[in-house]
Amino acid sequence: MKIAIPKERRAGEARVAASPDTVKKLVGLGCDVVVEQGAGLGAGVTDGDFTSAGATIGNDAASTLSDADVVLKVQRPMTAEEGTDEVALLKEGSVLMCHLMALTERTLVDALAARKVTAFAMELMPRTTRAQSMDILSSQNNLAGYKAVIDAAAEFGRAFPMMMTAAGTVAPARVLIYGAGVAGLQAVATAKRLGAVVFATDVRPATKEQVASLGGKFVVVDEEMEKEAETAGGYAKEMPPEYFVKQKQILGDHLKKADIVITTALIPGRPAPKLVTAEQVATMKHGSVIIDLAAETGGNCELTEAGKVVEKHGVKIVGYTNTPSRLAGDASTLFAKNLLNFLMLMIDKETKSVKIDWEDDLVKGSLVTRDGSVVHPMLANAG
């Protein structure tokens, strides 16, 4: 069985879908692993590292993907309109695992179905205890939350911790975090480690204790509305307009006092909710910083510009996209392990081939295309 890891071609993507450790494990199972030349360089992994682990190096995308039974990627494959037509290079009947962005990239999903590719959208992995080791959103958002605080510290013109010196006392930075999911909680922990005073808010009341356990102070907006704010899968639901009106009122004072604001709110398949208005930015302290981790899907702040650092009303607004890629080494290691753990469910150790249990909850939750059809329940009737 041939497993292919092509080089990521999308702009700004430095990660790779394999590590020497995962390659070694796959080779140990009897798989032939082919990694495209230079695929790991952005993550600090050389071709020599992969060959030492037992992989073969492919000269280009075509030779790497040729006859591959399984293709592991970070980002969704590119189409002819985008440059290298990776979809056309996939073997009919092959298995693809990646961050497919299936809920928003319907044209690509249809193209994969037409190619008769068995495609798994790793971002749709059910949020269950069993799936934790395969959850790319958790592994990557954890790093994004950490990096958000580091970026904030780099842009902020003052120190984070309280410092008592002979020349006087430096007050600690005040950090406000919107969203207490994986990214938000890691941001709380990292900001506390740097010595900041940290406040966090989330529509899910269950996160209150998690924030407190990390040393943060939880800001409640509306307890009644927040009781129904979490989906069965553990994600935040889109809240009604009246909730955001109240949120604006309650968090307005916190924004005026904040030195750093980090926003992490995302809704799967939908534009990011607007949590910080232009009017509120104008009330913030001169020299304060907003890190918007939702910049790629429209931003949580009205003034965010994706991929840019801008200054509005004396406030720096950081809109970096694909934050995990800015920690490509660690992000790749975790992403690769997520993929390996999922793939291990499908490898028949006796025949050295793919054997998929179509009734497995993790398979059903992430399977998007099969046998020429779009099969995921969130997409099957939306074409």
Side-chain angles (χ1 to χ4, degrees), residues 54-77:
T56 301
I57 302 301
N59 291 328
D60 52 26
S63 60
T64 301
L65 294 171
S66 176
D67 295 323
D69 301 293
V70 177
V71 176
L72 305 180
K73 284 181 56 51
V74 176
Q75 295 271 8
R76 65 193 187 281

Side-chain angles (χ1 to χ4, degrees), residues 239-309:
M239 300 299 283
E242 55 267 29
Y243 178 86
F244 293 109
V245 171
K246 192 165 186 179
Q247 184 184 64
K248 180 181 176 182
Q249 294 170 345
I250 291 176
L251 293 176
D253 288 339
H254 286 277
L255 279 168
K256 292 175 184 177
K257 299 173 185 176
D259 297 300
I260 307 292
V261 175
I262 297 173
T263 66
T264 71
L266 292 168
I267 300 171
R270 302 289 296 275
K274 298 300 181 194
L275 304 180
V276 181
T277 66
E279 179 185 8
Q280 287 176 316
V281 173
T283 70
M284 293 175 64
K285 292 193 291 187
H286 192 95
S288 55
V289 177
I290 297 174
I291 306 290
D292 193 337
L293 286 181
E296 203 161 353
T297 56
N300 294 141
C301 174
E302 285 184 342
L303 299 180
T304 297
E305 294 183 29
K308 297 180 180 180
V309 178

Side-chain angles (χ1 to χ4, degrees), residues 32-48:
D32 295 323
V33 181
V34 181
V35 180
E36 186 178 352
Q37 185 177 29
L41 293 180
V45 185
T46 67
D47 292 345

Side-chain angles (χ1 to χ4, degrees), residues 116-136:
K116 296 184 178 178
V117 172
T118 300
F120 290 93
M122 296 299 292
E123 73 274 14
L124 298 181
M125 184 66 62
R127 306 204 84 176
T128 62
T129 300
R130 179 168 168 252
Q132 283 181 346
S133 66
M134 310 164 206
D135 186 353
I136 63 165

Side-chain angles (χ1 to χ4, degrees), residues 17-270:
S19 67
D21 182 57
T22 62
V23 167
K24 188 175 181 179
K25 285 183 170 61
L26 290 170
V27 171
L29 291 172
C31 302
D32 295 323
V33 181
V34 181
V35 180
E36 186 178 352
Q37 185 177 29
L41 293 180
V45 185
T46 67
D47 292 345
D49 293 329
F50 282 126
T51 56
S52 295
T56 301
I57 302 301
N59 291 328
D60 52 26
S63 60
T64 301
L65 294 171
S66 176
D67 295 323
D69 301 293
V70 177
V71 176
L72 305 180
K73 284 181 56 51
V74 176
Q75 295 271 8
R76 65 193 187 281
M78 296 181 74
T79 60
E81 292 76 17
E82 296 174 303
T84 302
D85 191 349
E86 294 176 298
V87 174
L89 296 175
L90 298 174
K91 182 177 76 172
E92 287 194 6
S94 61
V95 173
L96 169 68
M97 296 180 183
C98 65
H99 190 159
L100 196 58
M101 294 185 68
L103 299 182
T104 56
E105 297 293 334
R106 183 57 195 242
T107 300
L108 172 62
V109 169
D110 289 338
L112 291 170
R115 190 67 182 165
K116 296 184 178 178
V117 172
T118 300
F120 290 93
M122 296 299 292
E123 73 274 14
L124 298 181
M125 184 66 62
R127 306 204 84 176
T128 62
T129 300
R130 179 168 168 252
Q132 283 181 346
S133 66
M134 310 164 206
D135 186 353
I136 63 165
L137 296 183
S138 290
S139 73
Q140 303 303 291
N141 287 343
N142 190 51
L143 289 170
Y146 161 82
K147 184 62 172 170
V149 178
I150 302 305
D151 287 339
E155 296 291 346
F156 190 44
R158 291 169 43 206
F160 263 49
M162 173 182 282
M163 296 183 185
M164 301 181 72
T165 75
T169 300
V170 174
R174 188 181 178 103
V175 176
L176 174 62
I177 297 168
Y178 283 77
V182 173
L185 290 173
Q186 182 57 249
V188 171
T190 303
K192 283 298 295 182
R193 285 197 294 268
L194 289 180
V197 176
V198 185
F199 297 82
T201 187
D202 195 287
V203 299
R204 296 162 294 185
T207 60
K208 181 177 181 179
E209 290 183 6
Q210 295 170 308
V211 169
S213 72
L214 296 171
K217 300 175 183 179
F218 193 79
V219 181
V220 177
V221 174
D222 188 306
E223 285 186 290
E224 284 302 312
M225 280 194 275
E226 289 168 353
K227 286 179 180 178
E228 304 296 328
E230 188 170 353
T231 68
Y235 295 98
K237 288 183 181 177
E238 187 167 13
M239 300 299 283
E242 55 267 29
Y243 178 86
F244 293 109
V245 171
K246 192 165 186 179
Q247 184 184 64
K248 180 181 176 182
Q249 294 170 345
I250 291 176
L251 293 176
D253 288 339
H254 286 277
L255 279 168
K256 292 175 184 177
K257 299 173 185 176
D259 297 300
I260 307 292
V261 175
I262 297 173
T263 66
T264 71
L266 292 168
I267 300 171
R270 302 289 296 275

